[in-house]
């Protein structure tokens, strides 16, 4: 939480404690009551958005060694100069941040609440392997590193805006940058 501005820390406290308590309560009920567990599973499936139609994967039409590669993360990776993700948005912040290819680990912080950042703070490459992409380009394992990479904050409980607006915008940026291959790094 050291990477989160103090104004966000204060507002975050009550909401996070409520979510953690609710999560512990629901998990406890699920363990003790198979009936509640079945009800919760049905409710969760009903509330979640199910994919309809074909999975939208695009086949890679050239060798990886000739491909332009980008990172797409849900780990809340941002530049220190960026506005942090809105960690108080109950539906989840569906916005994204652009991380330029020449960004250094010293310029990057994590703006995310729902995973342990300790390993990423010690070595950003476990979450956002940008230096590894540059090394792979030098070794000619990949064709090139994309000029821009995309980061989302993954704690999104209502993905409508993400699916309908921000993810297509971010995909458009990658298309404009002629990205052939995106490596997805979840938070």
């Amino acid at each position: 939480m050291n990477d989160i501005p103090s104004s966000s820390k204060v507002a975050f406290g009550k909401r996070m404690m409520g979510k953690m308590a609710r999560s512990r309560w629901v998990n406890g009920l699920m363990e003790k009551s198979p009936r509640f567990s079945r009800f919760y599973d049905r409710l969760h499936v009903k509330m979640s958005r199910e994919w309809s139609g074909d999975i939208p994967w695009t086949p890679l039409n050239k060798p990886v060694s000739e491909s332009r590669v980008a990172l797409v993360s849900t780990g809340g990776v941002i530049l220190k100069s960026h506005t942090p993700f809105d960690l108080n948005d109950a539906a989840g912040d569906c916005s994204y941040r652009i991380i330029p290819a020449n960004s250094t680990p010293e310029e990057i912080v994590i703006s995310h609440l729902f995973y342990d950042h300790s390993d990423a703070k010690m070595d950003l490459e476990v979450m956002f392997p940008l230096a590894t992409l540059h090394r792979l380009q030098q070794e000619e394992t990949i064709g090139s590193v994309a000029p821009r990479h995309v980061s989302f904050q993954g704690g999104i409980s209502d993905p409508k805006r993400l699916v309908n607006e921000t993810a297509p915008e971010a995909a458009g940026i990658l298309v404009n940058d002629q990205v052939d291959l995106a490596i997805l790094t979840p938070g």
Side-chain angles (χ1 to χ4, degrees):
M1 295 246 317
N2 291 336
D3 297 340
I4 301 170
S6 59
S7 60
S8 292
K9 288 180 188 177
V10 172
F12 153 75
K14 287 184 182 178
R15 185 177 70 94
M16 184 60 185
M17 292 309 292
K19 281 187 175 189
M20 288 170 48
R22 187 169 48 247
S23 176
R24 283 194 297 267
W25 181 77
V26 167
N27 287 339
L29 276 175
M30 288 176 72
E31 288 175 9
K32 292 180 177 142
S33 171
R35 185 175 174 198
F36 178 78
S37 183
R38 286 189 301 273
F39 166 76
Y40 187 80
D41 287 344
R42 282 192 312 271
L43 180 65
H44 182 68
V45 167
K46 191 174 189 177
M47 290 172 53
S48 67
R49 182 184 185 282
E50 292 185 24
W51 190 263
S52 60
D54 294 333
I55 297 173
W57 298 114
T58 301
L60 187 59
N61 294 323
K62 60 171 126 177
V64 173
S65 62
E66 297 173 14
S67 297
R68 177 169 281 181
V69 182
L71 297 173
V72 177
S73 179
T74 58
V77 174
I78 66 171
L79 295 179
K80 289 178 181 177
S81 60
H82 285 157
T83 301
F85 287 105
D86 183 357
L87 305 177
N88 296 311
D89 185 340
D93 185 343
C94 293
S95 65
Y96 59 90
R97 306 294 183 271
I98 297 298
I99 309 296
N102 62 353
S103 300
T104 65
E106 295 76 33
E107 297 173 288
I108 297 174
V109 294
I110 297 172
S111 175
H112 200 299
L113 297 175
F114 301 109
Y115 72 93
D116 180 359
H117 310 151
S118 56
D119 289 337
K121 284 182 180 180
M122 286 190 297
D123 182 2
L124 185 61
E125 289 291 297
V126 301
M127 172 55 59
F128 201 72
L130 189 54
T132 298
L133 281 186
H134 286 291
R135 180 179 51 79
L136 292 172
Q137 179 181 335
Q138 289 175 342
E139 295 171 357
E140 298 180 357
T141 303
I142 65 171
S144 64
V145 175
R148 299 180 287 180
H149 306 274
V150 182
S151 177
F152 294 90
Q153 186 270 134
I156 299 171
S157 60
D158 183 359
K160 286 183 208 98
R161 183 170 167 253
L162 175 74
V163 170
N164 295 323
E165 296 174 32
T166 57
E169 282 176 23
I173 290 167
L174 299 179
V175 168
N176 287 339
D177 288 347
Q178 299 178 335
V179 170
D180 301 301
L181 178 63
I183 297 175
L184 309 177
T185 63

